[in-house]
């Protein structure tokens, strides 16, 4: 890319925690952070937030009467947005854009308000404003008092990386020189669990590793649902030392055979990776953080796409879904966080049940993949220097 766009800050909230030191410590453990829970009539293994982080959300909800009726998806994003703003040295009231997306949006409130409607045929006054998808970005803009554009979108599991692409486009256009982008998901609810179980892809076993993402020998689907939020601050001239630079972006969509289809060799991933790497020699990519949802077909088709693009020189492969579950709309930037941590610490994070012939000793460039229902793939290349 000709425009030098830096990632000046990143903040996240997931089953790994919300403190950067704790998150890195947890990445260095071979433990997963998935646990069984009861969701209505369903029992499911999930990547739920830590009690200490739930307490932070409760405290945030009590700060302002206007925050009390908001969905957790909004509050998760608001919490990490505040931390990112502080880390970037941006100020409240600055002109910067906000693009925070979500796959499911205000899932908990949708279920609550629709349940109430089914009982008596009436709707709560707050049902509409608190369940519109755009209220994630609009409440962050309100809380941080930004004067810039506010955008929300839902592009299923590639939502957060699509927000990165959108932020890059705005900055390159010259219409806005700073953008806060990311995703938020608070979908650990009975109806959402029921939907994923109906697809026959949810993990049913609580063995050593319930989600076997990237395990190509698994005999059953092992997807696990997680929750969380993650945002980054992007700009051309940061006041702080950049965490990384965005060196390439790619995106693609493929024709569908059915609602959740993806081609045998993930054509959309091949196209998105090639676009992201158009200015970079493939040999310079050290690591790929795969989407790898833990399903048999999803993991295998992505790997086939990677082999098509990189041929005999496939970079080291990893993923974080075995640790935290699939956080839908937030997953892309949580994967980006893992990439940045590996760059910063110069340490590759293995998947413990995968055998590696070699792992990189020096990490300069990391490619991050995400794809969602609808065959929409995004690939982002990040590195330490431009």
């Amino acid at each position: 890319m000709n425009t030098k766009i830096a990632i000046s800050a990143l903040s996240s909230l997931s089953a790994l925690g919300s403190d950067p030191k704790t998150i890195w410590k947890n990445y260095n453990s071979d433990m997963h952070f998935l646990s069984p829970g009861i969701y209505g009539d369903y029992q499911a293994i999930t990547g739920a937030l830590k009690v200490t982080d739930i307490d932070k959300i409760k405290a945030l909800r009590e700060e302002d009467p206007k925050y009390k009726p908001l969905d957790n998806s909004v509050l998760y994003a608001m919490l990490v947005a505040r931390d990112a703003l502080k880390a970037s040295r941006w100020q409240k009231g600055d002109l910067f854009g906000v693009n925070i997306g979500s796959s499911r949006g205000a899932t908990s409130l949708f279920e609550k308000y629709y349940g109430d409607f089914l009982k008596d045929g009436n709707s709560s006054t707050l049902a509409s404003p608190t369940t519109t998808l755009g209220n994630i970005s609009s409440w962050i803009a309100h809380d941080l008092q930004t004067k810039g554009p506010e955008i929300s979108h839902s592009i299923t599991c590639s939502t957060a990386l699509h927000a990165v692409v959108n932020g890059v486009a705005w900055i390159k256009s010259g219409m806005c020189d700073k953008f806060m982008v990311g995703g938020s998901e608070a979908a650990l609810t009975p109806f959402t669990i029921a939907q994923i179980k109906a697809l026959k892809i949810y993990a049913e076993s609580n063995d050593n590793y319930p989600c076997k993402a990237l395990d190509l020998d698994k005999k059953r689907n092992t997807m696990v649902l997680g929750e969380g939020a993650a945002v980054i601050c992007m700009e051309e001239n940061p006041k702080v030392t950049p965490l990384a630079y965005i060196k390439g972006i790619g995106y693609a969509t493929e024709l569908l055979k059915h609602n959740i289809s993806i081609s045998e060799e993930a054509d959309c991933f091949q196209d998105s990776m090639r676009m992201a790497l158009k200015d970079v020699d493939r040999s310079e990519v050290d690591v790929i953080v795969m989407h790898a949802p833990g399903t048999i077909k999803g993991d295998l088709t992505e790997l086939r796409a990677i082999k098509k693009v990189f041929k005999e020189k496939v970079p080291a492969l990893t993923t974080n879904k075995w640790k935290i579950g699939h956080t839908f709309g937030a997953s892309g930037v949580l994967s980006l966080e893992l990439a940045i941590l590996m760059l910063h610490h110069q340490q590759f994070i293995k998947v413990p049940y995968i055998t590696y012939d070699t792992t990189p000793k020096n990490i300069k460039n990391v490619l991050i993949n995400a794809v969602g229902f609808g065959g929409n793939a995004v690939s982002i290349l990040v590195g330490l220097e431009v």
Side-chain angles (χ1 to χ4, degrees):
M1 292 194 329
N2 294 327
T3 306
K4 187 177 179 179
I5 298 178
I7 298 174
S8 55
L10 184 151
S11 179
S12 75
L13 174 70
S14 73
L16 295 174
S18 57
D19 171 68
K21 290 183 179 179
T22 301
I23 292 168
W24 180 242
K25 177 183 176 182
N26 289 335
Y27 265 125
N28 276 273
S29 165
D30 283 346
M31 293 173 52
H32 66 77
F33 293 81
L34 309 175
S35 57
I38 303 295
Y39 301 91
D41 296 331
Y42 292 92
Q43 189 170 27
I45 303 160
T46 63
L49 297 184
K50 294 176 175 293
V51 173
T52 51
D53 288 322
I54 292 173
D55 288 341
K56 291 179 183 179
I57 298 300
K58 290 178 179 177
L60 175 57
R61 190 183 296 279
E62 295 300 318
E63 279 187 20
D64 189 321
K66 296 189 294 295
Y67 295 170
K68 288 186 177 182
L70 298 179
D71 188 75
N72 277 343
S73 59
V74 179
L75 296 176
Y76 291 177
M78 194 182 295
L79 188 71
V80 296
R82 288 181 176 183
D83 289 342
L85 184 86
K86 182 178 180 181
S88 67
R89 295 188 190 171
W90 297 0
Q91 302 294 323
K92 280 191 174 184
D94 282 358
L95 196 158
F96 60 88
V98 176
N99 187 173
I100 313 296
S102 179
S103 176
R104 303 283 164 165
T107 317
S108 181
L109 288 186
F110 266 119
E111 293 180 27
K112 174 186 181 299
Y113 287 136
Y114 189 60
D116 293 344
F117 173 74
L118 290 178
K119 289 177 184 177
D120 58 21
N122 294 315
S123 175
S124 166
T125 304
L126 292 176
S128 177
T130 58
T131 59
T132 30
L133 184 62
N135 87 131
I136 297 180
S137 289
S138 60
W139 276 109
I140 289 175
H142 162 82
D143 189 59
L144 303 183
Q145 301 169 29
T146 175
K147 298 178 177 10
E150 54 185 77
I151 306 162
S152 289
H153 63 241
S154 176
I155 313 177
T156 61
C157 304
S158 55
T159 293
L161 290 194
H162 270 291
V164 175
V165 172
N166 199 33
V168 168
W170 275 79
I171 293 171
K172 289 181 69 174
S173 75
M175 294 174 65
C176 192
D177 61 4
K178 296 188 291 188
F179 240 89
M180 179 181 288
V181 302
S184 182
E185 210 69 62
L188 300 187
T189 63
F191 185 46
T192 309
I193 298 291
Q195 290 175 65
I196 307 305
K197 284 182 175 287
L199 293 172
K200 309 298 183 185
I201 59 175
Y202 212 100
E204 298 295 339
S205 171
N206 191 17
D207 57 18
N208 289 339
Y209 296 103
C211 176
K212 300 298 285 287
L214 203 50
D215 179 359
L216 301 181
D217 296 322
K218 56 180 174 287
K219 304 303 181 186
R220 63 180 184 272
N221 291 313
T222 63
M223 183 174 145
V224 170
L225 182 56
E227 64 179 344
V231 302
I232 61 170
C233 294
M234 303 191 306
E235 56 191 316
E236 289 188 78
N237 300 298
K239 297 178 182 178
V240 297
T241 302
L243 301 176
Y245 291 95
I246 297 176
K247 304 179 78 171
I249 59 171
Y251 46 87
T253 303
E254 63 181 48
L255 296 177
L256 301 179
K257 292 184 179 179
H258 57 80
N259 289 356
I260 61 171
S261 69
I262 189 168
S263 55
E264 290 298 318
E265 294 182 341
D267 296 334
C268 57
F269 264 142
Q270 291 186 52
D271 292 342
S272 68
M273 286 188 285
R274 288 190 177 105
M275 183 185 293
L277 299 171
K278 66 180 180 180
D279 298 324
V280 177
D281 191 292
R282 284 152 177 68
S283 64
E284 295 180 21
V285 179
D286 304 298
V287 178
I288 300 176
V289 181
M290 293 175 61
H291 181 73
T295 62
I296 294 171
K297 185 173 182 180
D299 293 5
L300 183 58
T301 55
E302 184 179 359
L303 181 60
R304 285 174 179 161
I306 290 169
K307 288 182 176 179
K308 280 280 187 178
V309 172
F310 288 89
K311 304 191 183 305
E312 70 279 358
K313 295 184 178 180
V314 174
L317 305 177
T318 190
T319 181
N320 59 11
K321 291 184 178 66
W322 68 273
K323 247 184 198 304
I324 64 174
H326 192 345
T327 53
F328 286 163
S331 63
V333 173
L334 285 168
S335 293
L336 176 58
E337 176 182 54
L338 173 56
I340 289 174
L341 287 170
M342 288 189 290
L343 285 167
H344 178 73
H345 293 278
Q346 285 298 292
Q347 180 181 332
F348 177 69
I349 297 297
K350 298 179 181 180
V351 179
Y353 45 80
I354 301 298
T355 299
Y356 291 87
D357 294 329
T358 59
T359 56
K361 292 182 173 58
N362 299 305
I363 304 174
K364 292 184 178 180
N365 296 297
V366 181
L367 186 68
I368 304 100
N369 281 340
V371 69
F373 292 160
N376 54 86
V378 180
S379 300
I380 306 290
L381 182 68
V382 295
L384 293 176
E385 19 180 85
V386 177

